[in-house]
Amino acid sequence: MQYGSHKRHGSSVALLRELRFYASKQKSPFILYSAFVDYVKRYTAKNVEEQPDLVPYLGDPSAQLEKAFAPLIQSKQIVVIDTNPAKKVIFVTGYFNAIFAERYKEIKSNATVPFPTIQDMPKQTPNEVLIKSEYTEIIFDLLKNQKPDDKNLYAIIVPMNLPSIIFPGNVPVSILVNASLEKMQHMLEKDEYHDYYLKKLRISNPGKEISVKNFFSQFVKSPEEALQSLKNSADCFYFWGQLCYFIKQDYEKVKDFTQEDVNVLQAVAISEIVTSFYKNESAKNMQQENALKSVQSHMKQPPYFFTMDGILKFTDAKGVPLQGQYKDEALKEFLQKETTDAMANELPNLLVFKTASGARYFIYKEKVFPLIVRMCNELHDTINDALTQEWYEVLKNYDKKKEMIDDKAFNERLEHEVEKLNPVLYSLLNATFLSVLNIEMARANKVGNSANLFLGDDLLPYSNLLMLNRQTILANAKILLPFWYTIPLFSWLMSLFAKKPEKKKKQTAHAVYNPDGADDLEERKSASHGKNESRKDGLIHAAKKLEENIVPEGSTIERELNSYKKQWNRMLTKQAYLNLTEDVNSLIRDYMRKVLRTISGKSFTMDRIQDLAETLCKTPNMQKITDQDSLYVYVQLYMIFLVKNM
């Protein structure tokens, strides 16, 4: 007895196995309810001492069985037919799952064996045991997500009033697909069909005779290879659709179908929907592939370093977010591959680094050195002006700092300034991969290699990277002093009276220059805009939010504007450079005056900014500028800057 072999005799799963076993023993899906109750009662009485789990079934097991039957009835694994309580019957769906699974094994070895149909089921079969649906829906669902433990029994409704195909869910749908292809192949192997349909395909595809012949020959010889090509070839979709159409077209003239005709038409219906499925999947795969290529293209454009949140905000040429055009898993696989796959003794194409705040950035390795050079150039003026002003104040108070007279202290101060003003640059300069990248790029002799940043194996001092000279800054600070500071005896006497107390001097020594002039930003902010925020305040608030999103960590909108301006404005003379900058800025200002009449804080979004920038960059005057990518980013930044400072 199998019943005693299960540990959980009260479970619905164990009970279903027993019902299937009982049905197979009597070779019928219909089990008399009272007979099965007696079977359980006898078995329990005989084995309860050895199997204590059978205790719930002692006496009358009917109530316990009713509880176990409930989930099986709900999932259509059984149907209890009780029109006559004295002849209450249990219909076991799994009985036919096993029988029809065997039929599909026969079809696999012999294509002439017909598909099981609804006519192969007993007339008394309850309708609710079958999941009936159009072939377009069922095949799509099974191809997309068939579960290995599927116990359903499907009735696949096919067109042309053909009998519905019965398909057990415990059989892989690939068997149904391959069986359909083999049935079509079996027909087309016959001489009268082979030459006839090959000729029709050739006539319908002039200029593609060779492709048609290759497709047809491959299918007739090996349907499985034809199915594989169907997943990858655009031409195959078209040829498959034509072939199925021609076969159906010829059979429409037939009034009485033979069993062989039914077999072929059912196979054509299945093959047709499989073609449609793979065509749809191919289109999705192509869209995803193109979207990931666009992601890669975006990452190789300014500012070159991106967080995951930034990558997820990328859009295509039409402004549609790329995130919906690829699966999240596909993006993770793409980034994983880019950050791990590498040739021997080389870094992967995509590198990862973190800032002190924990922000994680991606950057392509060929962009690392150009980005470092650009950022160092940007910081040159900022730090130079800051130190000049700070040292002027120190000298004015007849004091001095260690970094003013010592190169090591000077470089330490520059390092501190870089860390504070541009955390991204600081993280790149201290990244573990930088020295390896230096060797790799030098070995490859690539443009923009490490020769500008390294001396041998060591990174250049910060003074060299930023092109700042301690003596020059000190000299510039001294020039700002009144002339009497240059008179030795007089300046010494003045210093005796003018020096600040120790406490105050320390405060001065530790003062930090803010090149953005934002020391008192919080104090200058308004306490509240009130509940009824004005339209102007709403725009300013929206602009500040956009600034937080578009400006990289540690930078400012002014520095970003200056950086991108140097990229698109390549005029050699100073006056020409200033004139072009003013012309572009004037165009943006004039354009924004018109836009601001109709826009509000709620509609002033990143998408709107990008649309406005794209429109402006397409104007004839703007098109004359070569570096459109940098100009596009600059226009966005300047628009936000204008609104923020209204």
Side-chain angles (χ1 to χ4, degrees):
M1 284 284 185
Q2 286 195 5
Y3 194 83
S5 66
H6 303 295
K7 293 182 178 180
R8 295 181 61 202
H9 301 281
S11 72
S12 298
V13 175
L15 186 60
L16 180 60
R17 293 196 190 102
E18 293 305 328
L19 286 165
R20 287 179 178 174
F21 172 74
Y22 194 89
S24 64
K25 292 291 286 183
Q26 66 174 25
K27 297 182 180 180
S28 171
F30 298 97
I31 299 174
L32 194 63
Y33 192 96
S34 58
F36 186 72
V37 172
D38 289 340
Y39 164 76
V40 174
K41 189 185 300 183
R42 291 195 308 272
Y43 185 80
T44 301
K46 186 177 179 180
N47 297 281
V48 69
E49 291 185 4
E50 292 83 5
Q51 301 173 32
D53 290 337
L54 293 173
V55 171
Y57 293 97
L58 285 173
D60 185 2
S62 299
Q64 192 66 25
L65 288 174
E66 288 285 351
K67 292 180 182 179
F69 282 155
L72 298 178
I73 294 171
Q74 187 176 4
S75 62
K76 300 182 181 181
Q77 299 304 302
I78 66 171
V79 175
V80 177
I81 306 170
D82 55 357
T83 51
N84 185 345
K87 296 180 179 180
K88 197 173 182 180
V89 171
I90 305 169
F91 180 88
V92 183
T93 308
Y95 175 81
F96 283 109
N97 284 66
I99 287 179
F100 292 139
E102 289 298 320
R103 173 77 72 87
Y104 278 96
K105 287 182 182 178
E106 293 178 33
I107 295 172
K108 189 175 181 180
S109 58
N110 184 1
T112 61
V113 176
F115 286 120
T117 67
I118 201 165
Q119 296 171 351
D120 295 324
M121 303 282 287
K123 292 182 180 180
Q124 302 86 355
T125 300
N127 288 328
E128 57 263 39
V129 301
L130 295 172
I131 297 179
K132 295 181 180 180
S133 187
E134 295 289 336
Y135 71 114
T136 52
E137 296 179 13
I138 289 182
I139 302 300
F140 251 82
D141 289 343
L142 291 175
L143 284 170
K144 198 169 185 179
N145 187 28
Q146 184 182 22
K147 297 179 181 178
D149 60 344
D150 190 347
K151 299 181 180 67
N152 293 314
L153 196 61
Y154 298 97
I156 304 174
I157 302 171
V158 288
M160 300 178 69
N161 293 320
L162 298 170
S164 298
I165 300 172
I166 300 298
F167 182 70
N170 58 319
V171 174
V173 69
S174 58
I175 291 179
L176 174 63
V177 172
N178 289 328
S180 300
L181 298 178
E182 287 171 4
K183 287 180 182 295
M184 289 180 64
Q185 178 212 25
H186 181 72
M187 180 194 77
L188 295 173
E189 279 181 328
K190 299 175 182 179
D191 292 339
E192 64 271 26
Y193 293 115
H194 183 281
D195 296 338
Y196 172 70
Y197 285 111
L198 178 57
K199 184 178 179 181
K200 291 193 79 168
L201 280 173
R202 279 179 168 175
I203 294 172
S204 300
N205 296 278
K208 293 186 177 181
E209 288 82 0
I210 296 177
S211 297
V212 168
K213 185 178 179 181
N214 291 338
F215 158 76
F216 199 82
S217 299
Q218 183 188 43
F219 172 60
V220 173
K221 291 179 182 178
S222 178
E224 291 186 2
E225 289 184 15
L227 177 62
Q228 189 59 38
S229 67
L230 180 65
K231 299 177 182 179
N232 305 310
S233 172
D235 279 343
C236 272
F237 297 134
Y238 184 67
F239 295 150
W240 267 107
Q242 278 193 320
L243 181 59
C244 291
Y245 172 75
F246 290 146
I247 295 173
K248 288 193 301 180
Q249 188 182 47
D250 289 339
Y251 274 96
E252 283 177 355
K253 305 169 186 175
V254 179
K255 292 184 179 179
D256 297 321
F257 294 143
T258 64
Q259 180 59 56
E260 185 179 358
D261 296 338
V262 171
N263 225 17
V264 170
L265 288 172
Q266 288 173 329
V268 168
I270 299 298
S271 301
E272 199 171 29
I273 198 62
V274 169
T275 302
S276 178
F277 173 82
Y278 284 118
K279 183 179 180 181
N280 186 51
E281 289 297 300
S282 178
K284 288 182 180 178
N285 291 337
M286 183 64 71
Q287 182 190 50
Q288 178 168 278
E289 185 178 337
N290 290 336
L292 292 176
K293 286 181 180 178
S294 295
V295 167
Q296 186 179 50
S297 176
H298 275 288
M299 294 180 72
K300 291 184 177 182
Q301 294 175 9
Y304 305 126
F305 57 99
F306 301 93
T307 62
M308 179 59 79
D309 287 341
I311 293 172
L312 294 176
K313 292 177 182 177
F314 288 158
T315 60
D316 60 18
K318 297 179 180 178
V320 179
L322 290 171
Q323 189 178 7
Q325 300 177 38
Y326 56 74
K327 295 180 180 177
D328 291 343
E329 295 77 11
L331 178 64
K332 290 179 182 178
E333 289 176 9
F334 166 75
L335 294 176
Q336 178 72 14
K337 183 178 180 181
E338 289 288 280
T339 54
T340 54
D341 288 2
M343 301 288 287
N345 301 319
E346 287 191 4
L347 291 167
N349 289 328
L350 190 62
L351 304 175
V352 183
F353 67 95
K354 283 186 177 182
T355 60
S357 65
R360 187 168 177 260
Y361 289 96
F362 297 90
I363 183 171
Y364 275 97
K365 64 182 181 182
E366 67 266 24
K367 302 297 182 183
V368 172
F369 286 112
L371 178 63
I372 289 175
V373 171
R374 192 199 88 188
M375 286 182 164
C376 286
N377 290 338
E378 291 171 12
L379 283 182
H380 170 84
D381 291 343
T382 303
I383 296 178
N384 181 73
D385 294 345
L387 291 182
T388 301
Q389 183 65 29
E390 181 185 328
W391 290 5
Y392 161 71
E393 296 291 341
V394 173
L395 293 171
K396 188 178 178 182
N397 292 316
Y398 301 96
D399 205 347
K400 61 183 178 180
K401 285 188 171 185
K402 189 177 181 181
E403 57 259 34
M404 298 166 69
I405 56 176
D406 181 72
D407 285 337
K408 183 179 179 182
F410 178 64
N411 276 292
E412 288 175 355
R413 174 61 189 277
L414 293 180
E415 182 177 359
H416 171 74
E417 290 297 319
V418 170
E419 182 180 11
K420 178 185 67 175
L421 295 173
N422 196 329
V424 170
L425 174 59
Y426 183 77
S427 297
L428 283 172
L429 292 173
N430 290 276
T432 54
F433 58 72
L434 195 64
S435 58
V436 180
L437 184 60
N438 161 50
I439 298 170
E440 181 182 321
M441 296 191 74
R443 184 172 60 239
N445 195 26
K446 293 184 179 179
V447 177
N449 63 26
S450 57
N452 296 326
L453 305 180
F454 280 79
L455 182 62
D457 294 332
D458 297 324
L459 187 69
L460 290 172
Y462 278 81
S463 57
N464 294 72
L465 293 172
L466 298 169
M467 292 179 292
L468 292 172
N469 185 279
R470 176 177 58 80
Q471 290 92 341
T472 302
I473 297 174
L474 184 59
N476 290 336
K478 288 180 177 179
I479 290 173
L480 299 175
L481 295 170
F483 77 92
W484 58 80
Y485 280 79
T486 60
I487 303 173
L489 182 60
F490 184 75
S491 62
W492 177 76
L493 289 172
M494 289 293 294
S495 67
L496 295 177
F497 299 99
K499 274 191 178 182
K500 294 181 181 180
E502 188 66 21
K503 183 178 179 181
K504 195 168 184 180
K505 186 177 84 171
K506 286 183 178 180
Q507 290 175 347
T508 304
H510 289 84
V512 178
Y513 175 73
N514 188 336
D516 299 322
D519 292 340
D520 301 319
L521 180 61
E522 293 301 322
E523 295 178 11
R524 295 199 305 269
K525 284 185 177 179
S526 174
S528 172
H529 287 297
K531 292 184 178 180
N532 298 316
E533 189 180 42
S534 69
R535 180 169 164 275
K536 178 180 175 182
D537 290 337
L539 282 166
I540 294 172
H541 180 70
K544 290 179 179 179
K545 285 288 185 183
L546 291 173
E547 180 186 11
E548 293 175 5
N549 293 330
I550 197 171
V551 175
E553 180 186 4
S555 185
T556 66
I557 195 166
E558 290 81 3
R559 286 212 298 272
E560 292 300 307
L561 281 168
N562 188 48
S563 170
Y564 284 104
K565 179 171 61 179
K566 290 177 181 177
Q567 294 180 57
W568 62 259
N569 191 343
R570 297 176 182 175
M571 292 297 180
L572 297 178
T573 65
K574 183 177 180 181
Q575 192 57 46
Y577 180 89
L578 294 173
N579 290 342
L580 179 58
T581 301
E582 182 55 31
D583 289 344
V584 169
N585 289 349
S586 296
L587 278 172
I588 302 172
R589 288 196 296 269
D590 292 342
Y591 185 61
M592 286 302 291
R593 286 192 191 97
K594 299 175 184 177
V595 171
L596 289 173
R597 295 171 188 168
T598 58
I599 203 169
S600 65
K602 290 183 179 179
S603 59
F604 194 65
T605 62
M606 199 64 235
D607 290 339
R608 184 68 186 277
I609 286 289
Q610 289 173 346
D611 290 340
L612 294 172
E614 185 176 359
T615 302
L616 191 56
C617 288
K618 288 180 178 178
T619 57
N621 289 334
M622 289 292 212
Q623 286 289 308
K624 295 176 183 177
I625 295 174
T626 307
D627 192 347
Q628 285 288 309
D629 290 337
S630 297
L631 178 64
Y632 175 63
V633 179
Y634 178 84
V635 172
Q636 295 177 54
L637 288 165
Y638 196 65
M639 286 178 173
I640 294 170
F641 176 79
L642 290 174
V643 176
K644 172 192 167 187
N645 293 285
M646 281 197 308

